[in-house]
Amino acid sequence: MKLDEFGLIRTLTARVPVTGPHVVLGPGDDAAVLEALPDERVLATSDTMVQGPHFLPETMAPFDVGYKAVAASISDIAAMGGEPRHVLIALGIPSSIEVDFMESIYDGVGQICREYQCTVVGGDVVRTDGPLFINTTVLGATSRPPLKRSGAQPGNLVFVTGYVGSAAAGLDVLRSSSITAKEDAAFLTAAHQRPKPQVAAGQIFSLEGATSCDDISDGLASELNEIANASNVRMRIQTQRIPIHTAVRNLARVRGTDTLDYAFYGGEDYQLVGTASPFQFARILARCESIGISVQQIGRVEAGDGVVAEFPDGRLDVISAKGYNHFAE
Amino acid sequence: MKLDEFGLIRTLTARVPVTGPHVVLGPGDDAAVLEALPDERVLATSDTMVQGPHFLPETMAPFDVGYKAVAASISDIAAMGGEPRHVLIALGIPSSIEVDFMESIYDGVGQICREYQCTVVGGDVVRTDGPLFINTTVLGATSRPPLKRSGAQPGNLVFVTGYVGSAAAGLDVLRSSSITAKEDAAFLTAAHQRPKPQVAAGQIFSLEGATSCDDISDGLASELNEIANASNVRMRIQTQRIPIHTAVRNLARVRGTDTLDYAFYGGEDYQLVGTASPFQFARILARCESIGISVQQIGRVEAGDGVVAEFPDGRLDVISAKGYNHFAE
């Protein structure tokens, strides 16, 4: 099936939600026109995934590529405590790729947009002689002061949503032939392929005065170090408190690896890590748990710098930011 | 020089304006935080340029790549009558490319941002095994009804800003060894490498009630057809009125090509084409000329469909939208 550029964009756009609140003019003209409400501020973030460094056909179906690319950007909006609203997609397409492959990517985009009440307001599809790439820009809004990395204070508690390390373990399952129970494999691969950004949690953090927040895209170690650096504090993490799913523990046992490696250095969980005073944390915990979002305290903020892990046997260790880094060599 | 991802982004970000009006929080956190003024609507557009289909090292220095990529998106905001404000950049970088090359791209981004009072509020740099690509998202704003493609009415005049065909002629100069006068070559290559989006003109069009507008990115033929289709009208163009620079005429004479081919099918001029009633057009013309922006009437809107060219000898011809199309084969 051959399509010209405009026909192709029409075909793809038909698969995603394009109308909704705050959209004055959707895709199809030179630029989208979006409503900004009084008292709100606009949040903007952009992410790019390239086949090769970021995903492989063996581990990510085209649907997953579309889903996860948008998830990564929605997660950035979540980490600011905002509401994601609008998505712009740019696809770089090798000539070997057929229209149905692009449609599947857009089906994934459409699925996550519907789950998070977002609309696709712009898109661009270009040819490339290189590997597939997808760039997502997500615009959001918040009427509250946005959560930053720089507000953590000594005496605050450190906490995370959900489980960490699951996405990295999922990638290991997809890449290897480790013996994994069926339900473990399903949980882990879903964590890798269809991560769920923690938008509701971010809004609760912001509403209840969390002092800092970051999403766990590059691994817990990396994000904790970012908050520590931006806030000029030390994060002291009690390793036995880190929420690691049984499926990850089972996989680590089978593979003879360290569960904490998944948790600290895995990345792509798109959970949130934040800090708040104990009083604020109690309110965050209550609100989150009341709507089914799990939040776990994993440590404390202290005067100092860096990230220190406290092991069950009392041993301490500095945790450096060696999460996934595209340019480390 | 080896840099990790965060170091690289810091180095690049230092070369572009990151603070300015409407920026609450610039690059460096999960998402940028931008001010939306009451009564304003947000405009959003995204474009991608890939080495190979969109530019070649022989015709575009890295500085030009950065400059032109942002120009393309600013031009979309101009075509809506808006004010461009914020830029997000995503670079896909082959491993062969050095940091100073990326710095030059960012210098080009910084240059156009300064020229148009835009700030860079986000960025992403990723590795690719394929050719260089750059994705730009530009956010803008307008307090007026945005200009669309769909409002042209029979009896309106059709007009364009500046000159058309210059960018395509510039590409020919860069790719061939045609004998060109030095000043002609300088004008034409600048038109190709450093196009100037018509932001002020777009705002005047919008203020004075132009009925439709589009930027000339895919060639005048293509954009006229888009307006005709979206508005359900016919555009009747008098070819001798189309503003074509002497340098283009000279080049066409040397190469034995048709000047009108550059004008109709060249693309990438990033001028604006619009429609308005004769009364509105008179006001647009006066306002534009008073600040040094040239606007030229090139035809009329009629009942009917498509685009018809009227030649000096009275001959009529249908002009199809065969401007540059990435997926035409």
Side-chain angles (χ1 to χ4, degrees):
Chain A
M1 185 180 183
K2 299 267 180 227
L3 287 171
D4 71 5
E5 187 179 354
F6 297 113
L8 178 62
I9 287 175
R10 267 195 304 274
T11 299
L12 297 178
T13 303
R15 313 181 85 83
V16 296
V18 294
T19 55
H22 316 295
V23 180
V24 181
L25 184 68
D29 222 297
D30 291 294
V33 184
L34 311 171
E35 211 171 44
L37 301 187
D39 313 330
E40 282 187 347
R41 285 161 166 185
V42 174
L43 304 171
T45 184
S46 180
D47 284 281
T48 308
M49 281 170 45
V50 182
Q51 186 167 313
H54 297 95
F55 62 90
L56 294 169
E58 305 85 79
T59 60
M60 295 275 286
F63 184 101
D64 301 325
V65 170
Y67 190 100
K68 186 169 181 168
V70 176
S73 291
I74 287 181
S75 181
D76 285 326
I77 302 295
M80 305 299 285
E83 176 183 307
R85 287 185 183 160
H86 307 298
V87 179
L88 295 101
I89 299 285
L91 275 185
I93 296 290
S95 54
S96 60
I97 280 182
E98 298 290 333
V99 170
D100 60 352
F101 188 99
M102 294 186 248
E103 287 176 346
S104 295
I105 292 177
Y106 262 66
D107 284 340
V109 169
Q111 172 72 27
I112 189 163
C113 285
R114 277 182 285 270
E115 287 176 17
Y116 286 84
Q117 285 90 53
C118 291
T119 47
V120 176
V121 297
D124 198 10
V125 182
V126 296
R127 284 281 180 216
T128 173
D129 296 330
L132 178 72
F133 66 82
I134 178 168
N135 174 273
T136 52
T137 299
V138 174
L139 304 178
T142 181
S143 54
R144 294 177 297 273
L147 296 168
K148 297 192 276 190
R149 297 191 182 119
S150 56
Q153 290 156 24
N156 283 177
L157 305 183
V158 184
F159 47 88
V160 298
T161 59
Y163 293 103
V164 294
S166 317
L171 183 59
D172 265 358
V173 169
L174 288 160
R175 281 197 301 206
S176 71
S177 52
S178 300
I179 298 147
T180 321
K182 209 169 173 183
E183 57 272 32
D184 283 1
F187 172 82
L188 297 174
T189 56
H192 179 74
Q193 294 167 334
R194 314 263 175 100
K196 305 296 177 195
Q198 295 297 315
V199 171
Q203 290 177 351
I204 290 171
F205 292 4
S206 150
L207 195 67
E208 295 295 351
T211 52
S212 76
C213 185
D214 210 347
D215 73 321
I216 306 176
S217 49
D218 293 330
L220 186 58
S222 174
E223 312 301 348
L224 287 169
N225 271 284
E226 283 202 23
I227 292 177
N229 291 342
S231 304
N232 293 309
V233 294
R234 170 173 298 154
M235 313 289 268
R236 188 189 187 97
I237 305 302
Q238 292 167 290
T239 59
Q240 84 278 17
R241 284 178 178 258
I242 298 173
I244 298 170
H245 195 275
T246 314
V248 177
R249 297 187 191 280
N250 292 343
L251 183 75
R253 197 166 45 236
V254 170
R255 291 173 59 88
T257 51
D258 187 345
T259 332
L260 284 177
D261 277 351
Y262 288 124
F264 275 130
Y265 309 115
E268 302 200 333
D269 285 310
Y270 301 110
Q271 298 294 337
L272 297 181
V273 55
T275 59
S277 76
F279 177 76
Q280 291 159 332
F281 175 66
R283 294 183 59 98
I284 286 168
L285 186 73
R287 271 201 189 244
C288 283
E289 294 289 349
S290 75
I291 57 167
I293 299 167
S294 140
V295 178
Q296 170 73 43
Q297 187 209 335
I298 61 168
R300 287 183 165 275
V301 181
E302 299 178 342
D305 55 30
V307 177
V308 173
E310 188 184 320
F311 291 88
D313 60 6
R315 186 168 52 92
L316 298 178
D317 208 351
V318 172
I319 303 293
S320 65
K322 64 166 182 173
Y324 185 69
N325 185 318
H326 308 308
F327 288 88
E329 281 175 55
Chain B
M1 186 180 180
K2 298 268 180 229
L3 286 171
D4 71 6
E5 186 179 356
F6 297 113
L8 177 63
I9 288 175
R10 266 195 304 275
T11 299
L12 297 179
T13 303
R15 312 181 86 84
V16 296
V18 294
T19 55
H22 316 295
V23 180
V24 181
L25 183 69
D29 223 298
D30 291 293
V33 184
L34 311 170
E35 212 171 42
L37 302 186
D39 312 329
E40 281 186 348
R41 283 160 168 188
V42 174
L43 304 171
T45 183
S46 180
D47 284 283
T48 307
M49 281 170 45
V50 181
Q51 187 167 311
H54 297 95
F55 62 91
L56 293 170
E58 304 85 79
T59 59
M60 294 276 286
F63 185 101
D64 302 325
V65 170
Y67 191 99
K68 185 169 181 170
V70 177
S73 290
I74 287 180
S75 181
D76 285 326
I77 301 296
M80 306 298 287
E83 177 185 307
R85 288 186 183 161
H86 308 298
V87 179
L88 295 102
I89 299 285
L91 275 185
I93 296 289
S95 55
S96 60
I97 279 182
E98 298 290 331
V99 170
D100 59 353
F101 188 100
M102 293 186 248
E103 287 175 348
S104 296
I105 292 177
Y106 262 66
D107 284 341
V109 169
Q111 172 73 26
I112 188 162
C113 284
R114 277 182 287 271
E115 287 175 17
Y116 287 83
Q117 287 89 51
C118 290
T119 48
V120 176
V121 298
D124 198 11
V125 183
V126 296
R127 285 281 182 216
T128 173
D129 296 331
L132 179 72
F133 66 83
I134 179 167
N135 174 274
T136 52
T137 299
V138 173
L139 304 178
T142 182
S143 54
R144 294 178 297 275
L147 296 168
K148 296 192 275 189
R149 298 192 183 117
S150 56
Q153 289 156 24
N156 283 178
L157 305 182
V158 185
F159 48 86
V160 297
T161 60
Y163 294 104
V164 294
S166 316
L171 182 60
D172 265 359
V173 169
L174 288 162
R175 280 197 300 206
S176 71
S177 52
S178 301
I179 298 148
T180 322
K182 210 171 173 180
E183 55 272 31
D184 282 2
F187 172 82
L188 296 174
T189 57
H192 179 74
Q193 294 167 335
R194 314 264 176 101
K196 306 294 179 196
Q198 296 296 318
V199 170
Q203 290 175 354
I204 290 171
F205 291 5
S206 149
L207 196 66
E208 296 294 352
T211 52
S212 75
C213 184
D214 210 348
D215 72 323
I216 306 177
S217 48
D218 294 329
L220 186 58
S222 173
E223 312 300 348
L224 287 170
N225 271 284
E226 284 203 23
I227 293 177
N229 291 341
S231 304
N232 293 309
V233 294
R234 169 173 297 155
M235 314 289 268
R236 189 190 186 97
I237 305 303
Q238 293 167 291
T239 59
Q240 84 276 18
R241 285 178 177 257
I242 297 174
I244 298 171
H245 195 274
T246 315
V248 177
R249 298 188 190 279
N250 292 343
L251 183 75
R253 196 164 47 238
V254 171
R255 292 174 59 88
T257 51
D258 186 345
T259 332
L260 284 178
D261 276 351
Y262 288 124
F264 275 131
Y265 308 115
E268 301 200 333
D269 285 310
Y270 302 110
Q271 299 293 338
L272 296 181
V273 55
T275 58
S277 75
F279 177 76
Q280 292 159 334
F281 175 67
R283 294 184 57 99
I284 287 170
L285 186 74
R287 271 198 188 243
C288 282
E289 294 289 349
S290 75
I291 58 167
I293 300 168
S294 140
V295 178
Q296 170 73 46
Q297 187 209 334
I298 60 169
R300 286 182 166 275
V301 182
E302 300 178 341
D305 55 30
V307 178
V308 172
E310 187 184 323
F311 293 86
D313 59 7
R315 185 168 53 90
L316 299 178
D317 208 352
V318 172
I319 303 293
S320 65
K322 64 165 183 174
Y324 186 69
N325 185 319
H326 307 308
F327 289 87
E329 281 175 57

